[in-house]
Amino acid sequence: MNISQQLKITGPAAGCFGGCFVPTLPLALALILFLGTGRSPAQPAAELLTNAMDVISLPAEQASQSIKVLVTGVVTASDAALKGRFFVQDATGGVFVDNVNGTHLKAGELVEISGITYAGAYAPTITAPQVRIKGTAPLPPARPVSVEQLMSGAEDSQRIEASGVVRDARVDGTRLAIDLAAGGYRFRAYVEVPPGFQYEKLVGSQVRIRGTAAEAHNRSLRQLILAEVYIPVLSDLVVEQPEPADPFERPVIPLNNLGQYRRDNSLGQRVHVRGVVTLQKNGESLFLQDELGGLQIQSRESAVCQPGELVEAVGFPSFENYLPVLQDAVFRKLPKPAAPIQAKLVPIDELQKGLHHAEYVSLTGKLIERTVRQGSGSKLPVTYTTTVLVLQASNFTFAAEANYAVGQPELAAIQIGTVLQVSGVCLTQIDSEGKLKSFQILLGNSRDIQVLQKPSWLTPQRLLIGFAIVCSGLIVFAGWTVMVSRKNSVLNFLIREREKAQLALQQANDQLEERVKARTEQLKFQITARKESELQFKAVLAERTRLAQELHDTVEQTLTGIAMELDTARKLYEKKPEDALAHLELSCDLMSRSQLEVRQSVWDLRRLVQEQFDIASALLENARQLLTGAEIGVELKTKGQVRALPEVVEENFLRIGREAIVNVIKHSQATAVTIQLEFEPQLVVLSIHDNGRGFVPQEAAGPDEGHFGLLGMSERVKRLGGQFSLASAPGEGTTIRVEIGLEPVQETVMPAFATLQNSNEEPTENPHPAG
């Protein structure tokens, strides 16, 4: 099978795409489907992207936000080297799907992809895909693009058509990789080929390819390195013009004529050269020389050639750094025994004119510097030493470079100052006007170096060391002499200056300390005043809040009860005067209780102002005042470490204690009262016990009879988020127990108080803790 049978060869009569493309019914249906689900590339990305162009048009920052994607399209490329990844294209464009290690899809399959966006290593992609195969569909038509547009990277993931000359072809298994050149650019294409495919005949052919554009990139920099095209089927690789003939059958061109005028010269056609091998860098380049000159041959072939062997090569003529070179070359040895080659001894002035490029020459110079570095690489021995010798010939300096395996110390043993004769391939660098910029000698082996004259003992380094020692001695002696002659005057001057400086520094330091001290006192006074002002403001605000609550819980509720009783008495006076009298008496009792509560509030204000009692002492003092004149003893017990409680807790403890003592005086007939405070880390307990006659709690008088004491105490505890309990039995006395958690508690009195003030409504229940 030859290349013309394997690939479709087209010519002027073949038309476009090897015969004009006629859309079929399935293709038309597929395009309608794509157009129905697509959006304009200019449409902004929403929460769900439904076409490929919206995905690949996202900025990298936005693509990194993992926007949801739901795209339906045709698989345009799925190379085995991609490991499950593939390209998909719909009516708007194409995009890369990072389906790593997923199911290997085939070109032409119609798929629905659900995933999220990702910035990708070069262009935005779809990642974490869920792929559902819906069937098959024709591949989208390839859009012709210029090589400049392809190399810009803007066509990434799009199905395109491009043309070029095949510069190199190689097969890895069933995967063919071809390098193409067009318009001064190179790009690479991949396609699956059958076994036995004659890929060598593609080199030098003008081809047209249809496939999906991709790129090789620098992942860390997100930059394009090389444009690539994935060709889905072999039929999309079309040979438009095969290479006219076997290039090895063409006339041999002298090596120095490669860059000169020739009537049939073309950079797109391979030329045939022949010469003797002077140096080889295996897998990189081969240097040949004939009677007229030398030439650098760039080739990937790994066949080893020895210096002196006759070789012919074919490749594409090109220029690097304004000098001719044969690129993408293949070579073969000729059946002629290798002959020793002699280096041409050339003067420096000829090299300065740009002559003898790539020729095997010999130069003489004195070694002035040597650089040795070790490394490894795929195109050199696994471990090698690169030695660069810098030599000086008359008024010109050049470098000689050699790559040897580690363990060959010949070059490292050469002393600086030795006169050497080096033989190797001359690589020159010239500018656009042909003037020499620099040149370098590539050495093949240690035999290319000959020692002509060893350095004398009096080397420049030793002279420099001796001169440095003498100069150092002279400087030391001169310095010592000057130092001795001026020692006293300099010391006296320094002492006087130091004393002046110390005095000035001490004065400045004293002034600074005084200013700092004064400013510190001023700042302390200002900070103290500000803190006192803030504390006073907070205290006033807290006291206003407490007074508002106190008035709401006592005076306002009592006045409301008095108003209700008076209103009831007014209504009963005309019909039942004796009943109205009972309500009037109850109003008087409420008035008396209101007076007592006002006095108690005033006493609490004096206690808070004086701040001479803790909560335990305040409870005891409050009880003693209430029990004055009553034959009832009072005892206070504390458990745990007595400490200050939140103000709202202390306030309500005093109210509850007072109400409990009042109830003892009025109802219990007790002779002793015990008040106990228990302090725990997160809890405080108030217990008040009397040894009175006791009662049945379920039969106790309540708000309906005008007794609000127990109800008021329980409501206070409820507002503090605590627990209130009452234990009593006839003949066994009465115990009131209040447990309050020490976590911050926000009272709910003020919102209710504000509501009553705003609505001007009378309360339906009097929570006043009257006994």
Side-chain angles (χ1 to χ4, degrees):
M1 180 184 295
N2 56 35
I3 192 65
S4 62
Q5 293 173 327
Q6 295 171 354
L7 303 177
K8 182 176 180 182
I9 301 176
T10 63
C16 60
F17 296 89
C20 292
F21 178 80
V22 180
T24 61
L25 180 58
L27 177 59
L29 293 176
L31 289 175
I32 293 174
L33 174 62
F34 298 155
L35 291 172
T37 60
R39 292 190 302 173
S40 169
Q43 185 175 352
E47 294 184 358
L48 178 66
L49 303 181
T50 57
N51 64 62
M53 187 56 65
D54 278 353
V55 177
I56 201 169
S57 298
L58 290 173
E61 295 78 8
Q62 191 172 355
S64 300
Q65 298 175 4
S66 300
I67 304 172
K68 293 182 178 180
V69 177
L70 181 61
V71 172
T72 300
V74 177
V75 177
T76 57
S78 179
D79 194 275
L82 296 177
K83 299 180 180 180
R85 304 177 182 91
F86 60 92
F87 295 87
V88 67
Q89 185 164 333
D90 60 12
T92 63
V95 69
F96 181 69
V97 181
D98 190 6
N99 187 38
V100 61
N101 298 325
T103 303
H104 180 73
L105 300 178
K106 297 180 181 179
E109 289 185 326
L110 182 64
V111 295
E112 180 183 74
I113 303 166
S114 175
I116 57 176
T117 61
Y118 178 62
Y122 178 67
T125 64
I126 299 175
T127 190
Q130 299 291 330
V131 182
R132 184 168 66 91
I133 301 175
K134 302 179 68 174
T136 60
L139 291 173
R143 180 166 55 85
V145 297
S146 64
V147 67
E148 291 81 8
Q149 183 71 6
L150 176 62
M151 294 303 297
S152 70
E155 298 298 326
D156 181 69
S157 304
Q158 312 305 311
R159 183 164 164 80
I160 58 94
E161 178 184 81
S163 299
V165 176
V166 178
R167 298 290 294 267
D168 185 35
R170 54 198 176 278
V171 172
D172 182 8
T174 61
R175 187 172 186 250
L176 172 65
I178 58 175
D179 288 351
L180 298 97
Y185 296 97
R186 289 177 70 107
F187 59 97
R188 187 167 297 159
Y190 301 99
V191 64
E192 294 289 330
V193 295
F197 182 78
Q198 300 179 9
Y199 64 90
E200 299 88 349
K201 295 187 177 182
L202 284 174
V203 179
S205 301
Q206 176 76 27
V207 299
R208 183 173 67 251
I209 59 173
R210 292 188 290 268
T212 302
E215 81 295 322
H217 50 264
N218 184 319
R219 180 174 292 271
S220 59
L221 298 177
R222 295 176 54 84
Q223 293 179 354
L224 177 74
I225 297 177
L226 175 68
E228 298 177 337
V229 178
Y230 288 95
I231 304 172
V233 292
L234 189 57
S235 59
D236 280 338
L237 174 60
V238 181
V239 177
E240 294 184 315
Q241 182 179 352
E243 192 171 27
D246 183 0
F248 280 104
E249 300 298 330
R250 295 177 181 173
V252 176
I253 298 177
L255 297 181
N256 69 335
N257 290 353
L258 188 65
Q260 297 177 358
Y261 172 77
R262 287 180 286 114
R263 179 67 177 172
D264 58 346
N265 193 11
S266 173
L267 297 181
Q269 293 183 1
R270 291 192 285 182
V271 298
H272 184 196
V273 297
R274 183 180 301 162
V276 176
V277 177
T278 56
L279 181 67
Q280 181 183 24
K281 289 187 175 182
N282 196 13
E284 290 185 21
S285 58
L286 182 72
F287 292 89
L288 302 181
Q289 184 167 329
D290 60 10
E291 295 80 3
L292 299 178
L295 181 65
Q296 182 181 6
I297 312 295
Q298 294 180 353
S299 176
R300 295 183 180 179
E301 292 194 7
S302 58
V304 177
C305 296
Q306 298 298 329
E309 289 185 329
L310 185 62
V311 169
E312 63 177 351
V314 294
F316 294 91
S318 184
F319 291 88
E320 287 187 0
N321 298 323
Y322 307 108
L323 292 170
V325 63
L326 199 65
Q327 295 180 338
D328 300 306
V330 294
F331 60 86
R332 61 189 182 187
K333 300 179 184 179
L334 295 177
K336 181 181 178 180
I341 54 175
Q342 297 295 328
K344 182 188 300 184
L345 186 61
V346 297
I348 291 294
D349 56 351
E350 291 186 6
L351 293 176
Q352 291 177 340
K353 295 178 182 179
L355 303 177
H356 305 293
H357 171 68
E359 293 183 13
Y360 190 59
V361 300
S362 180
L363 293 174
T364 300
K366 179 182 291 187
L367 180 61
I368 60 175
E369 185 179 352
R370 177 178 49 245
T371 303
V372 180
R373 62 180 183 271
Q374 294 184 353
S376 60
S378 59
K379 298 180 180 180
L380 289 170
V382 175
T383 304
Y384 64 92
T385 299
T386 299
T387 303
V388 178
L389 305 177
V390 180
L391 297 100
Q392 183 175 12
S394 65
N395 61 345
F396 200 87
T397 302
F398 64 97
E401 179 180 319
N403 294 313
Y404 297 132
V406 173
Q408 297 183 4
E410 292 88 350
L411 298 183
I414 302 176
Q415 297 181 3
I416 302 299
T418 303
V419 178
L420 301 175
Q421 181 177 344
V422 294
S423 300
V425 175
C426 177
L427 284 184
T428 60
Q429 290 188 357
I430 62 175
D431 57 20
S432 59
E433 297 180 355
K435 295 181 180 179
L436 180 69
K437 297 170 61 178
S438 65
F439 69 90
Q440 180 182 20
I441 304 298
L442 301 181
L443 305 177
N445 51 58
S446 58
R447 294 189 300 272
D448 291 335
I449 301 177
Q450 294 182 4
V451 177
L452 300 181
Q453 181 182 350
K454 293 184 178 181
S456 64
W457 184 89
L458 198 60
T459 61
Q461 289 81 1
R462 291 172 179 171
L463 285 175
L464 183 61
I465 293 174
F467 180 74
I469 293 174
V470 173
C471 290
S472 299
L474 291 175
I475 292 173
V476 170
F477 178 76
W480 179 81
T481 303
V482 173
M483 181 180 63
V484 170
S485 63
R486 298 184 179 180
K487 182 177 180 180
N488 293 333
S489 58
V490 171
L491 286 177
N492 292 333
F493 176 77
L494 290 176
I495 291 173
R496 289 193 298 271
E497 291 297 324
R498 182 173 296 179
E499 290 177 351
K500 292 180 181 179
Q502 287 180 348
L503 180 61
L505 181 62
Q506 183 63 38
Q507 294 175 352
N509 186 38
D510 294 342
Q511 293 178 358
L512 180 61
E513 288 182 353
E514 292 178 359
R515 293 180 181 179
V516 170
K517 184 176 180 180
R519 183 56 180 166
T520 301
E521 295 296 331
Q522 183 180 6
L523 290 176
K524 286 183 180 179
F525 176 77
Q526 293 177 354
I527 292 173
T528 303
R530 182 174 298 177
K531 288 184 178 179
E532 290 179 355
S533 176
E534 291 179 355
L535 290 175
Q536 291 177 2
F537 175 76
K538 291 180 180 178
V540 170
L541 183 62
E543 186 62 21
R544 288 179 179 176
T545 303
R546 191 189 69 79
L547 286 175
Q549 176 181 344
E550 187 69 23
L551 292 175
H552 176 268
D553 289 346
T554 58
V555 177
E556 181 182 357
Q557 302 297 334
T558 303
L559 292 178
T560 301
I562 293 173
M564 293 175 62
E565 294 298 330
L566 291 177
D567 185 65
T568 303
R570 180 182 61 79
K571 294 179 181 179
L572 295 176
Y573 179 75
E574 295 181 358
K575 299 180 180 180
K576 297 180 180 181
E578 60 280 4
D579 294 341
L581 182 60
H583 288 282
L584 290 175
E585 292 176 353
L586 182 57
S587 298
C588 291
D589 291 340
L590 293 175
M591 182 63 71
S592 298
R593 178 173 290 277
S594 177
Q595 292 176 348
L596 180 62
E597 290 174 346
V598 171
R599 292 192 190 100
Q600 185 62 33
S601 298
V602 173
W603 182 85
D604 289 343
L605 285 174
R606 292 184 62 195
R607 177 187 62 82
L608 293 174
V609 172
Q610 295 174 356
E611 293 186 351
Q612 60 181 349
F613 297 119
D614 55 21
I615 182 60
S617 302
L619 285 171
L620 181 60
E621 180 67 19
N622 192 15
R624 286 175 177 173
Q625 289 185 4
L626 292 174
L627 293 174
T628 301
E631 297 180 356
I632 301 175
V634 61
E635 180 184 8
L636 175 67
K637 297 180 179 180
T638 60
K639 183 179 180 182
Q641 185 176 1
V642 178
R643 61 184 184 274
L645 301 176
E647 184 177 350
V648 65
V649 176
E650 291 184 351
E651 174 73 20
N652 283 279
F653 270 14
L654 288 173
R655 293 293 184 183
I656 293 171
R658 187 188 66 186
E659 188 63 41
I661 297 300
V662 170
N663 286 342
V664 169
I665 296 172
K666 287 185 177 182
H667 307 296
S668 70
Q669 300 179 4
T671 61
V673 176
T674 301
I675 302 174
Q676 182 170 333
L677 271 175
E678 299 179 17
F679 292 90
E680 297 182 8
Q682 296 184 352
L683 185 71
V684 61
V685 180
L686 171 64
S687 299
I688 302 176
H689 174 73
D690 66 70
N691 62 351
R693 62 182 181 177
F695 62 95
V696 178
Q698 291 78 10
E699 298 177 358
D704 294 338
E705 291 80 12
H707 296 277
F708 299 95
L710 294 177
L711 177 61
M713 286 189 285
S714 64
E715 287 186 351
R716 287 180 182 274
V717 175
K718 183 177 180 181
R719 286 195 297 271
L720 294 175
Q723 296 182 357
F724 174 82
S725 62
L726 172 68
S728 182
E732 297 182 2
T734 303
T735 300
I736 292 175
R737 181 180 175 87
V738 178
E739 297 182 0
I740 303 296
L742 292 183
E743 295 293 332
V745 179
Q746 294 182 352
E747 290 196 330
T748 57
V749 174
M750 288 307 298
F753 174 63
T755 302
L756 287 174
Q757 283 189 335
N758 292 334
S759 61
N760 296 325
E761 295 180 359
E762 295 183 355
T764 57
E765 182 179 3
N766 185 4
H768 178 61

